[in-house]
Amino acid sequence: MTSKKVLLDGYGLSRAGLLAIARDGAQVALDAAALQRVRRTADFLADKVRCGEPIYGVTTGFGSNADKLLGAHRARDELPGGNPETREGSLLEELQHNLIVTHAVCVGEPFAPDVVRAMLAIRINTLMRGHSGVRVQTLEALTAMLNRGVVPVVPQLGSVGASGDLAPLSHLAIVLLGGGEAFFAGERLPGAEALRRAGLEPVRLSYKEGLALNNGTAQMLACAALALDRLQQQVELADLAAAMTLEAFAGRSGAFREDVHALRPHPGQVETAAHLRELLAGSTLIDIPYHLVPHFATWTAQAWREPEDQALHFDLSWDWVPVQRRHGREAFYTRFLPFRGGKKHQPQDAYSLRCIPQVHGAVRDALAQAARVIEIELNAVTDNPLLFPDVEGAQVIEDQVVSAGHFHGMPLALAMSYVKAAIPVLASISERRIAKLVDPATNDGLPAFLTGNEDATDSGFMIVQYTAAALVNDLASRAHPASVYSIPTSANAEDHVSMGANEARHVLAMCEQLGQVLALELYTAAQALDYRRDMLNAARRCTAP
């Protein structure tokens, strides 16, 4: 828990601020000027309702029921004996209450608390813009729920990403009403009990408040923002793993030169190349002459004379290049000794090494596009209808209450599809570097599976690559974009949906496996570096072949 407080005004929520709320437990404060906008719009809406104006989702039903106007009283009130179903509140209040209750039908495991806290912060921030019609007291109650640590139980499956994240956001709002379930102080409780323990009272919703609370993109945006933070860290980690692998190969640095990348200046590519140059600065392995790199040979009891060398798990070998095979290459052998060890003399490394800037950089560019979309969405109004109480020259209600489609999640969905495709790409090139390190045909003189194994009893790092391959296959299998597969809902009133909630949820889950692949490369590269260092040091001590 941090003492930091994040001020929400509908305009200035940053990704850093959201992460502070979601992960560090930062408290939320509401901007006083923004609350004036909220109050102005709520008063405007109440006035229009009193005038009998037909307003979608306020005096009409929802979705395909939008053509049904609410009456002055319940139809059963006209029964001769009166209405046997006594209910509190007006039809307008019942409409908002029932919207939340009937839409809270998600299934599956609950989202982690950081996702739910992010959802709450996003929803509060968008309502602070003053275009949604909620009352100040309702917004303050939602904020108090967040600040006092009430975390609604929000199952993960149930949103199609238009009209926003209706079902998961209803699970947020239902706790505010005293329903549903919530976590409080680490315990899963009925929503009413969680509020009671937090010292809070349930809220009765007024005009449009149910629709304002559950109509928006908060679930997909929360997942996307949290995933992006992890992925931006992971692409940095991928560079580090790649740099370690490059050193283990005694690789070549020319492919990362600044002037080289100035010729194809994709931002992510240029950034990756610069990061690699920084990581490799001062390396004693990069660009080492090929003839100084010995080839692994199986240890034998006769391999070494000195006790410290006898403790090694390898022997060393070079191939002598006889004079008769040097003709026409005299200039070359003036510069390099006529020995061939583990490393070939060639001007370029394999693609998984040489093309790190192009591949990691493309992933960075995908993340940059996602960041641009997320930063806009964090301070966007995403519910419906939108209220414009101060529009000039308004003549009819439709001039000030506008039905639009800001709840549609396609901007986020497509950005997440891009990221979703990038994740297995980053994992795949990492796995290829692992495979190259463990394969004696490609690892430039290192032992097979990075183990000395003189008695043939140890598989070494063989299965590390298996695990990485399994993870990459699973990531690739999950990379199909959900955003291309719309399934109409709400009796075809919502005939094109984004599936952005699934897309962002998939991306957040895929971060875990990407991190595992990168960890396996770090593990493998560290072993390879140890062998390369020990072999080179032993080669310096031994008599030249």
Side-chain angles (χ1 to χ4, degrees):
M1 183 71 70
T2 178
S3 60
K4 179 180 178 180
K5 186 165 283 192
V6 178
L7 183 68
L8 298 182
D9 64 359
Y11 291 90
L13 179 59
S14 65
R15 286 193 293 127
L18 183 69
L19 292 171
I21 297 166
R23 291 183 176 158
D24 301 332
Q27 296 281 288
V28 163
L30 304 182
D31 179 74
L35 287 176
Q36 289 300 320
R37 294 195 302 267
V38 171
R39 184 174 290 105
R40 165 80 178 98
T41 305
D43 291 345
F44 159 81
L45 181 60
D47 182 64
K48 293 301 179 185
V49 170
R50 284 192 292 271
C51 294
E53 296 280 11
I55 302 172
Y56 171 77
V58 178
T59 59
T60 76
F62 303 107
S64 61
N65 287 326
D67 60 340
K68 297 180 179 179
L69 292 170
L70 272 64
H73 55 78
R74 293 176 175 84
R76 289 180 181 270
D77 290 347
E78 299 175 7
L79 288 171
N83 190 343
E85 299 177 357
T86 58
R87 299 184 187 181
E88 294 183 12
S90 67
L91 278 175
L92 300 186
E93 291 174 329
E94 183 179 332
L95 176 70
Q96 302 303 316
H97 178 90
N98 286 349
L99 175 69
I100 299 301
V101 172
T102 61
H103 283 54
V105 291
C106 290
V107 298
E109 291 298 310
F111 277 113
D114 60 347
V115 176
V116 179
R117 287 180 59 82
M119 291 170 65
L120 282 166
I122 290 164
R123 200 76 220 124
I124 293 167
N125 191 61
T126 192
L127 296 177
M128 289 291 287
R129 289 290 296 269
H131 290 279
S132 301
V134 298
R135 295 167 299 165
V136 168
Q137 57 263 44
T138 301
L139 195 48
E140 289 174 336
L142 194 64
T143 302
M145 191 169 78
L146 173 59
N147 283 342
R148 297 196 191 182
V150 177
V151 179
V153 172
V154 181
Q156 296 188 21
L157 302 171
S159 174
V160 296
S163 298
D165 298 317
L166 287 171
L169 286 176
S170 295
H171 283 274
L172 278 189
I174 200 170
V175 174
L176 194 66
L177 310 186
E181 293 182 294
F183 295 104
F184 183 73
E187 189 176 353
R188 186 168 178 169
L189 302 165
E193 177 62 13
L195 290 180
R196 187 190 68 78
R197 293 193 188 184
L200 302 173
E201 295 289 335
V203 169
R204 182 185 293 277
L205 298 180
S206 184
Y207 315 126
K208 196 184 172 286
E209 289 189 328
L211 193 56
L213 288 170
N214 79 354
N215 195 222
T217 60
Q219 182 210 305
M220 64 184 94
L221 180 54
C223 289
L226 293 172
L228 180 63
D229 178 62
R230 292 188 65 179
L231 289 166
Q232 287 177 326
Q233 295 176 38
Q234 287 175 329
V235 77
E236 296 286 318
L237 186 65
D239 288 351
L240 175 60
M244 289 176 63
T245 298
L246 273 162
E247 285 206 290
F249 275 106
R252 298 156 180 86
S253 65
F256 314 125
R257 283 171 34 173
E258 184 175 4
D259 57 350
V260 168
H261 290 279
L263 300 179
R264 193 198 193 197
H266 292 293
Q269 178 179 319
V270 170
E271 181 180 349
T272 302
H275 193 208
L276 288 170
R277 292 195 301 272
E278 178 185 343
L279 290 168
L280 297 170
S283 172
T284 58
L285 293 174
I286 294 299
D287 296 322
I288 188 172
Y290 88 103
H291 61 269
L292 298 181
V293 182
H295 194 284
F296 171 88
T298 303
W299 182 94
T300 65
Q302 297 76 38
W304 303 100
R305 291 191 295 271
E306 301 298 326
E308 66 172 312
D309 290 332
Q310 289 171 351
L312 298 171
H313 292 279
F314 53 81
D315 194 2
L316 304 177
S317 69
W318 286 265
D319 293 328
W320 170 260
V321 182
V323 173
Q324 61 269 28
R325 291 174 56 189
R326 300 181 211 167
H327 61 83
R329 307 180 182 90
E330 289 81 4
F332 175 83
Y333 286 112
T334 300
R335 182 178 173 194
F336 299 99
L337 295 176
F339 303 116
R340 290 179 181 163
K343 196 164 184 67
K344 296 178 182 178
H345 179 85
Q346 57 186 29
Q348 55 190 28
D349 291 318
Y351 287 5
S352 61
L353 302 176
R354 190 184 355 147
C355 299
I356 294 166
Q358 289 77 11
V359 178
H360 290 202
V363 172
R364 274 189 165 87
D365 288 340
L367 300 183
Q369 166 62 7
R372 185 189 69 80
V373 173
I374 288 168
E375 284 158 7
I376 292 172
E377 195 78 357
L378 280 174
N379 295 288
V381 180
T382 57
D383 59 308
N384 181 67
L386 304 175
L387 308 182
F388 297 89
D390 299 319
V391 68
E392 294 183 5
Q395 297 182 353
V396 293
I397 188 64
E398 289 79 14
D399 293 334
Q400 294 172 289
V401 181
V402 181
S403 287
H406 285 357
F407 49 71
H408 203 291
M410 194 55 77
L412 278 167
L414 283 178
M416 288 297 99
S417 296
Y418 189 7
V419 171
K420 198 178 188 183
I423 290 173
V425 167
L426 195 60
S428 176
I429 195 170
S430 177
E431 182 277 329
R432 286 295 80 201
R433 291 190 293 260
I434 296 170
K436 186 172 170 60
L437 283 169
V438 300
D439 185 349
T442 61
N443 68 9
D444 288 0
L446 293 170
F449 306 116
L450 300 179
T451 182
N453 199 25
E454 59 266 16
D455 296 316
T457 58
D458 191 343
S459 295
F461 278 56
M462 178 191 296
I463 307 302
V464 173
Q465 186 264 331
Y466 275 48
T467 300
L471 288 166
V472 170
N473 175 264
D474 194 55
L475 286 169
S477 300
R478 296 162 70 184
H480 177 78
S483 60
V484 304
Y485 191 46
S486 171
I487 300 176
T489 56
S490 190
N492 231 32
E494 299 164 6
D495 57 354
H496 185 276
V497 300
S498 74
M499 296 299 176
N502 282 346
E503 203 76 281
R505 180 176 54 83
H506 293 164
V507 168
L508 183 58
M510 290 166 73
C511 292
E512 184 72 21
Q513 289 177 311
L514 172 60
Q516 290 166 342
V517 174
L518 296 176
L520 291 172
E521 184 183 358
L522 288 166
Y523 178 47
T524 307
Q527 175 80 346
L529 272 169
D530 282 348
Y531 261 109
R532 188 70 78 192
R533 177 201 61 197
D534 292 347
M535 290 169 65
L536 286 168
N537 288 340
R540 292 187 184 101
R541 293 195 304 270
C542 72
T543 303

